[in-house]
């Protein structure tokens, strides 16, 4: 049985969810971003307990198909931007269609209807969060960051960064304090 879980965005999320499942004796076969595969079908009581425990940790069980698909879109984009080591030189619509086995126009319309923003805007927001992360690490130049995230130029990256954050990348880099937004809050 598969349980779909919203807000799972990193390997720590997988470990936390797996531990919750084990605590409830639900015997997970595999825990992936946004999905938990169980060996047996849980009882109603186990599902209620799971729901409460997950919600207390900032997760949410997804019940309807459209919500599952929207969460899958977000998960694919997060994995693509934040967890892939290769350059980001892909066609987003082809990538999502291939991964999720749906026509991109359907995915795009559903996402916009439910989330109030386009997939492209969500993708850009995630890219800007990755730029912030890379700027904070101070290991790559802005030119290298632009290349890694498939921006056509440093100017394009800077323009998009300023449009989203209101700051230039250089000014952002020099700021002190908590500068980043948690992925699940985007």
């Amino acid at each position: 049985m598969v349980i779909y879980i919203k807000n799972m965005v990193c390997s720590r999320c997988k470990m936390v969810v797996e531990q919750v499942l084990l605590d409830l004796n639900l015997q997970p076969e595999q825990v992936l971003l946004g999905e938990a595969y169980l060996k047996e079908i849980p009882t109603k009581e186990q599902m209620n307990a799971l729901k409460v425990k997950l919600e207390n940790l900032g997760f949410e069980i997804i019940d309807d198909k459209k919500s599952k698909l929207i969460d899958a879109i977000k998960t694919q984009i997060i994995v693509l931007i934040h967890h892939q080591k290769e350059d980001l030189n892909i066609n987003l619509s082809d990538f999502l269609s291939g991964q999720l086995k749906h026509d991109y126009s359907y995915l795009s319309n559903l996402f916009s209807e439910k989330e109030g923003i386009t997939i492209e805007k969500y993708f850009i927001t995630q890219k800007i969060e990755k730029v912030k992360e890379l700027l904070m690490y101070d290991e790559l130049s802005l030119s290298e960051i632009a290349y890694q995230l498939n921006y056509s130029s440093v100017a394009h990256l800077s323009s998009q960064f300023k449009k989203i954050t209101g700051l230039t990348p250089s000014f952002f880099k020099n700021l002190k304090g908590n500068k980043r937004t948690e992925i699940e809050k985007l």
Side-chain angles (χ1 to χ4, degrees), residues 47-99:
M47 280 303 290
N48 289 336
L50 178 62
K51 183 177 180 180
V52 169
K53 282 191 172 219
L54 290 177
E55 285 177 0
N56 288 337
L57 294 168
F59 302 109
E60 183 181 333
I61 294 177
I62 304 169
D63 293 327
D64 69 276
K65 287 182 181 183
K66 289 182 179 181
S67 293
K68 289 176 188 175
L69 192 52
I70 288 169
D71 195 57
I73 292 168
K74 288 180 176 181
T75 299
Q76 288 298 323
I77 290 172
I78 288 167
V79 167
L80 183 65
I81 293 172
H82 297 280
H83 302 292
Q84 209 161 286
K85 299 293 181 213
E86 350 173 319
D87 294 331
L88 200 58
N89 189 12
I90 57 107
N91 179 302
L92 182 61
S93 58
D94 291 344
F95 173 77
L96 290 175
S97 293
Q99 292 294 314

Side-chain angles (χ1 to χ4, degrees), residues 10-23:
C10 64
S11 57
R12 283 181 303 255
C13 294
K14 293 190 309 189
M15 290 186 328
V16 168
V17 168
E18 185 169 11
Q19 188 58 53
V20 168
L21 293 168
L22 290 170
D23 291 348

Side-chain angles (χ1 to χ4, degrees), residues 9 28 45-47 57 78 86 94 111 115 161:
V9 297
E45 293 78 25
Q46 286 176 313
M47 280 303 290
L57 294 168
I78 288 167
E86 350 173 319
D94 291 344
F111 192 90
E115 294 296 309
F161 190 92

